């Protein structure tokens, strides 16, 4: 027992050294002594989404549904699955101790560095890389520019600590045909072995990460299986890869199951994750971006060179985060050169020939991700939703650094029996490590702590002031209307900026976050497009108690909107210290509205989907409908009302059906002149969707010769004057010709 402890102590000591160095370097690069961990490292753009997801996990236990966003019906993430439960589970664990969402996210981001160092170190040591080279490679991989550039904004990508174990499994597929099944000469029963069990576990864990990493892993497993199958003249490597790929796919499907179930029950949402194959070219990998210096390099001449390319070259976007740094670039070029050196050799297994396998994986990754490469073919022919192939650059970074540490390890073996071996290895590490770290990182990787804190505290104070005057669970409507998620900046307002309100509140409910393509978002868009008077009336009737404005989202800085709200609400707004955010209290306005209308009259009803927008017909707002349309009505309680609207068909009589839920409540003939349609509808408390349907479909005017119209819209009926009123059963007076009223099973009937 004592001998075993002594045997493992150098390895444990080396891992501890690597983790300690990682924390020291991380502290130096980010100047953590200046940081306040309760202030987010990033407070703009995509980082706001991850901050909100973390807060949602703290508030609600998980992030798929959040009742504090997307009002009046709530926020659901099912249509936009990030599918990374391993990250969210760790965030949930950290939040038990941190409580605050900002500290939770910051700590998780910081923890990804030592986690990456640890997993990389374990893999290098498994392949007999020397201690010094393993420490060097693991630290350089942990501090790739990719890690900082993705940062909190792409926390799902910067958490890449599962890549080294996954590459180890891929190399096992190369090395051992008997990974799953033992060779016939060894064991005729072909039993599962220990290494396969570890491989299956790693593949399962990889399936719990963001979808791109499992996808790239499946591709590389397939390449490893095919290459090893050809090299060893054995079918088992390919079978191994298929089984491991299947494990990943099963894990991914399990992660996606909530989305699949939700979309089965509610229909697919075609507006979210709408990708086109051409995006695989736009976000493809450029080889030059792998080897060029990182933007903002510490050496001025290199920074200028990199900046010149980034400003002038075409198709520069998030693929600009792919830089490998000097050491990684050397490893990348070695692997490219190695392909020509070993092109005709058979694959063999020893520590040197791991370069062969890495070379195959490296070339395969470049062929998949490069602009116009295999990824583009895959996008056009099979599946366009995987588009950012440049993200495989972190796999390429690992291959490249692996090549470097293998070469250094081989060099160290020459001094293995020499007393100078440890000294030589230490000197190499002490020279290469600082050079690599300084080359791969810049001063820009330190968050602007002071400006972040100033902006964050300004927003926090503003939202706290709103909470002080609003009752618990008050609904706040946010302007301008911004679809969620993935929407271009509106004037100076960057995507996800509306999440500021939620991030600082504890008991308020916000309108932003309704999934686009769903009824809640359609309702918000319709309300935001109304006249000021109608918008305020509808919001009041729906139960909103305040209006929040981000001035950055308006071309005039919100001046006209703010002026109109002051005039209609007769109140002065709260204003944030930086003058960006405004809040209007609707309490007094709501009292006046509710005193003026009956409960039925106060239910707002709007076109939700299926129309071409509002047109002005002699001063009356009118909408042309497709063959199917929906109306949204927000009811304060369960009740029965009478829906009324005027309808006009296009050029021939049509049938219009009105549905309340799944029940057909009216079927009427609509002539070519306006006629009234009236039907009882059952409303439940909250948002109700009423459906209009024209069984005959719709016509395109340019297909009707007698109209000779250039309008190619698909039109069925025009709708105007939609309203709800109190429902009353029809009263009939029977004067003569009938016998007395009889009771049939409790129903009044008459002959």
């Amino acid at each position: 027992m004592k001998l075993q402890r002594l045997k493992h102590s150098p390895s444990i000591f080396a891992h501890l050294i690597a983790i300690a160095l990682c924390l020291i370097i991380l502290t130096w690069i980010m100047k953590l002594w200046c940081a306040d961990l309760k202030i987010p490292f990033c407070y703009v753009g995509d980082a706001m989404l991850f901050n909100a997801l973390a807060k949602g996990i703290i508030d609600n236990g998980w992030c798929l549904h959040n009742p504090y966003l997307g009002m009046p019906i709530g926020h659901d993430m099912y249509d936009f699955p990030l599918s990374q439960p391993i990250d969210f589970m760790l965030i949930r664990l950290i939040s038990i101790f941190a409580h605050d969402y900002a500290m939770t996210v910051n700590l998780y981001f910081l923890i990804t560095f030592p986690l990456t160092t640890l997993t990389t170190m374990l893999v290098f040591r498994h392949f007999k890389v020397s201690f010094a080279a393993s420490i060097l490679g693991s630290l350089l991989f942990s501090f790739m520019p990719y890690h900082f550039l993705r940062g909190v904004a792409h926390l799902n990508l910067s958490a890449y600590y599962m890549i080294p174990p996954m590459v180890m499994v891929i190399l096992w597929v190369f090395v051992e045909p008997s990974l799953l099944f033992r060779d016939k000469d060894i064991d005729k029963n072909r039993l599962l072995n220990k290494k396969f069990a570890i491989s299956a576990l790693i593949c399962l864990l990889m399936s719990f990460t963001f979808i791109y990493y499992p996808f790239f892993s499946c591709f590389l497993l397939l390449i490893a299986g095919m290459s090893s199958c050809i090299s060893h003249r054995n079918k088992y490597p390919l079978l191994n890869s298929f089984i491991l790929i299947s494990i990943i796919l099963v894990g991914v499907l399990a992660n996606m199951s909530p989305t699949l179930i939700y979309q089965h029950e509610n229909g697919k949402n075609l507006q979210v994750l709408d990708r086109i194959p051409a995006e695989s070219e736009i976000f493809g990998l450029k080889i030059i971006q792998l080897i060029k210096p990182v933007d903002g390099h510490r050496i001025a001449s290199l920074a200028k060179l990199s900046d010149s390319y980034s400003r002038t070259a075409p198709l520069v976007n998030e693929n600009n985060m792919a830089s490998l740094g000097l050491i990684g670039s050397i490893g990348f070029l070695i692997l490219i050169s190695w392909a020509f050196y070993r092109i005709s050799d058979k694959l063999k297994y020893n520590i040197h020939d791991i370069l062969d396998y890495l070379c195959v994986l490296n070339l395969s990754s470049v062929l998949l991700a490069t602009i116009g490469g295999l990824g583009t073919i895959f996008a056009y022919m099979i599946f366009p939703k995987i588009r950012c192939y440049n993200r495989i650059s972190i796999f390429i970074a690992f291959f490249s650094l692996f090549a470097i540490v293998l070469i250094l390890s081989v060099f160290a073996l020459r001094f293995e029996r020499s007393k100078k071996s440890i000294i030589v290895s230490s000197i190499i590490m002490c020279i290469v490590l600082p050079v690599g770290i300084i080359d791969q990182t810049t001063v820009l990787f330190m968050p602007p702590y002071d400006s972040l804190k100033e902006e964050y505290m300004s927003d926090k104070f503003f939202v706290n002031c709103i909470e002080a005057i609003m009752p618990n669970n008050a609904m706040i409507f946010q302007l301008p209307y911004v679809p969620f998620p993935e929407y271009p900046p509106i004037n100076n307002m960057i995507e996800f900026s509306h999440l500021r309100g939620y991030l600082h509140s504890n008991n308020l409910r916000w309108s932003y976050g309704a999934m686009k393509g769903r009824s809640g978002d359609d309702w918000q868009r319709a309300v935001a497009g109304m006249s000021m008077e109608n918008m305020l009336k509808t919001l009041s009737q729906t139960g909103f108690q305040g209006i929040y404005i981000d001035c950055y989202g308006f071309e005039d800085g919100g001046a006209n909107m703010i002026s109109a709200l002051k005039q209609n609400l007769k109140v002065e707004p709260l204003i944030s210290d930086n003058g960006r955010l405004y809040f209007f209290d609707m309490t007094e306005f709501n009292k006046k509205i509710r005193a003026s209308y009956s409960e039925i009259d106060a239910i707002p009803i709007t076109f939700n989907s299926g129309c071409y927008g509002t047109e002005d017909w002699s001063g009356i707002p009118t909408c042309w409908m497709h063959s199917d349309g929906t109306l949204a009505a927000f009811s304060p309680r369960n009740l029965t009302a009478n829906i009324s609207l005027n309808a006009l068909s296009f050029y021939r009589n049509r049938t219009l059906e009105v549905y309340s839920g799944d029940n057909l409540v009216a079927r009427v003939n609509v002539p070519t002149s306006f006629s009234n349609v009236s039907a009882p509808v059952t409303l439940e408390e909250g948002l109700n969707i009423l459906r209009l349907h024209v069984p005959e479909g719709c016509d395109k005017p340019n297909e009707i010769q007698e109209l000779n119209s250039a309008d190619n819209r698909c039109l069925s009926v025009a709708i105007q004057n939609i309203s709800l009123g109190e429902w009353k059963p029809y009263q009939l007076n029977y004067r003569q010709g009938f016998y007395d009223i009889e009771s049939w099973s409790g129903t009044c009937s008459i002959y």
Side-chain angles (χ1 to χ4, degrees), residues 5-23:
R5 290 178 182 174
L6 291 172
K7 181 180 177 181
H8 291 296
S9 59
S11 178
I12 296 173
F13 184 63
H15 285 78
L16 292 175
I17 289 176
I19 293 173
L21 287 173
C22 172
L23 295 175

Side-chain angles (χ1 to χ4, degrees), residues 61-199:
W62 203 243
C63 58
L64 288 177
H65 177 74
N66 193 332
Y68 296 101
L69 290 169
M71 288 294 103
I73 63 172
H75 161 85
D76 291 302
M77 282 291 290
Y78 296 100
D79 289 328
F80 191 66
L82 293 176
S83 187
Q84 52 186 101
I86 191 171
D87 298 318
F88 291 149
M89 285 188 287
L90 287 173
I91 287 174
R92 182 77 179 103
L93 180 63
I94 295 171
S95 70
I96 296 173
F97 307 98
H99 302 294
D100 178 77
Y101 85 86
M103 180 177 287
T104 298
V105 173
N106 289 343
L107 286 175
Y108 181 62
F109 175 66
L110 295 176
I111 287 172
T112 61
F113 287 88
L115 269 178
T116 304
T117 299
L118 179 61
T119 57
T120 308
M121 183 80 176
L122 289 169
V123 171
F124 286 163
R125 287 299 300 147
H126 171 77
F127 287 101
K128 311 300 183 185
V129 175
S130 67
F131 285 120
S134 296
I135 294 173
L136 171 66
S138 63
L139 290 173
L140 290 177
F141 185 61
S142 299
F143 292 97
M144 292 302 299
Y146 182 99
H147 205 155
F148 292 97
L149 294 173
R150 295 294 180 183
V152 176
H154 286 168
L155 195 59
N156 48 352
L157 295 171
S158 58
Y160 55 78
Y161 45 82
M162 282 304 302
I163 288 179
M166 191 68 238
V167 173
M168 178 178 69
V169 172
I170 294 168
L171 291 175
W172 284 349
V173 173
F174 266 116
V175 169
E176 300 189 29
S178 58
L179 178 62
L180 170 59
F181 297 110
R182 294 193 182 279
D183 191 88
K184 290 182 180 180
D185 297 333
I186 300 174
D187 187 354
K188 293 182 179 181
N189 293 323
R190 305 181 183 183
L191 298 175
L192 287 169
N193 60 32
K194 180 180 177 181
K195 202 170 273 189
F196 175 75
I198 296 173
S199 300

Side-chain angles (χ1 to χ4, degrees), residues 94-366:
I94 295 171
S95 70
I96 296 173
F97 307 98
H99 302 294
D100 178 77
Y101 85 86
M103 180 177 287
T104 298
V105 173
N106 289 343
L107 286 175
Y108 181 62
F109 175 66
L110 295 176
I111 287 172
T112 61
F113 287 88
L115 269 178
T116 304
T117 299
L118 179 61
T119 57
T120 308
M121 183 80 176
L122 289 169
V123 171
F124 286 163
R125 287 299 300 147
H126 171 77
F127 287 101
K128 311 300 183 185
V129 175
S130 67
F131 285 120
S134 296
I135 294 173
L136 171 66
S138 63
L139 290 173
L140 290 177
F141 185 61
S142 299
F143 292 97
M144 292 302 299
Y146 182 99
H147 205 155
F148 292 97
L149 294 173
R150 295 294 180 183
V152 176
H154 286 168
L155 195 59
N156 48 352
L157 295 171
S158 58
Y160 55 78
Y161 45 82
M162 282 304 302
I163 288 179
M166 191 68 238
V167 173
M168 178 178 69
V169 172
I170 294 168
L171 291 175
W172 284 349
V173 173
F174 266 116
V175 169
E176 300 189 29
S178 58
L179 178 62
L180 170 59
F181 297 110
R182 294 193 182 279
D183 191 88
K184 290 182 180 180
D185 297 333
I186 300 174
D187 187 354
K188 293 182 179 181
N189 293 323
R190 305 181 183 183
L191 298 175
L192 287 169
N193 60 32
K194 180 180 177 181
K195 202 170 273 189
F196 175 75
I198 296 173
S199 300
L201 177 61
I202 290 172
C203 287
L204 187 61
L205 290 175
M206 175 56 84
S207 72
F208 293 162
T209 63
F210 189 49
I211 187 65
Y212 276 89
Y213 293 161
F215 175 78
F216 295 144
S217 298
C218 289
F219 170 76
L220 295 171
L221 278 170
L222 181 62
I223 293 297
M226 292 172 60
S227 300
S228 186
C229 180
I230 295 170
S231 172
H232 292 99
R233 305 293 191 268
N234 191 317
K235 63 182 178 181
Y236 291 128
L238 190 57
L239 181 60
N240 291 336
S241 67
F242 282 151
I243 293 175
L244 293 174
I245 288 170
S246 299
I247 292 172
I248 294 177
L249 293 178
V250 168
V252 170
L253 285 175
N255 296 336
M256 294 290 292
S257 60
T259 292
L260 298 176
I261 294 171
Y262 179 83
Q263 293 189 340
H264 174 73
E265 295 175 348
N266 299 277
K268 289 187 177 180
N269 189 342
L270 300 179
Q271 294 188 35
V272 178
L273 292 177
D274 184 21
R275 306 288 190 252
I276 59 175
E279 290 179 306
S280 63
E281 299 250 331
I282 297 171
F283 297 102
L285 181 72
K286 290 183 169 187
I287 294 177
I288 187 174
Q289 290 176 323
L290 290 172
I291 60 178
K292 79 175 184 65
V294 64
D295 284 355
H297 199 281
R298 297 175 190 272
I299 300 176
S301 58
L302 295 179
K304 184 177 180 180
L305 176 65
S306 178
D307 180 65
S308 175
Y309 176 83
S310 299
R311 285 188 295 102
T312 60
L315 297 180
V316 174
N317 41 66
E318 72 160 54
N319 53 21
N320 205 33
M321 302 179 184
S323 176
L324 303 179
L326 176 62
I327 309 300
S329 297
I330 294 172
F332 175 76
L333 295 175
I334 288 173
L335 290 178
I336 294 294
S337 303
W338 194 259
F340 296 96
Y341 177 70
R342 299 282 290 179
I343 195 70
S344 60
D345 287 356
K346 285 188 175 182
L347 297 175
K348 304 171 185 177
Y349 177 50
N350 55 59
I351 192 170
H352 307 295
D353 291 325
I354 294 178
L355 281 172
D356 293 348
Y357 314 137
L358 293 173
C359 174
V360 171
L361 296 176
N362 185 60
L363 282 175
S364 301
S365 299
V366 172

Side-chain angles (χ1 to χ4, degrees), residues 654-708:
R654 293 182 180 277
T655 301
L656 177 65
E657 297 177 344
V658 182
Y659 289 83
S660 177
D662 295 327
N663 301 319
L664 176 66
V665 295
R667 181 186 286 115
V668 296
N669 183 64
V670 179
T672 55
S673 59
F674 274 109
S675 64
N676 181 259
V677 177
S678 183
V681 293
T682 300
L683 302 178
E684 298 179 353
E685 182 178 352
L687 186 64
N688 295 263
I689 302 299
L690 310 174
R691 187 160 62 90
L692 306 178
H693 174 61
V694 179
E696 300 94 333
C698 55
D699 296 300
K700 295 182 179 179
N702 62 355
E703 294 177 354
I704 304 171
Q705 292 181 356
E706 51 268 48
L707 293 175
N708 191 26

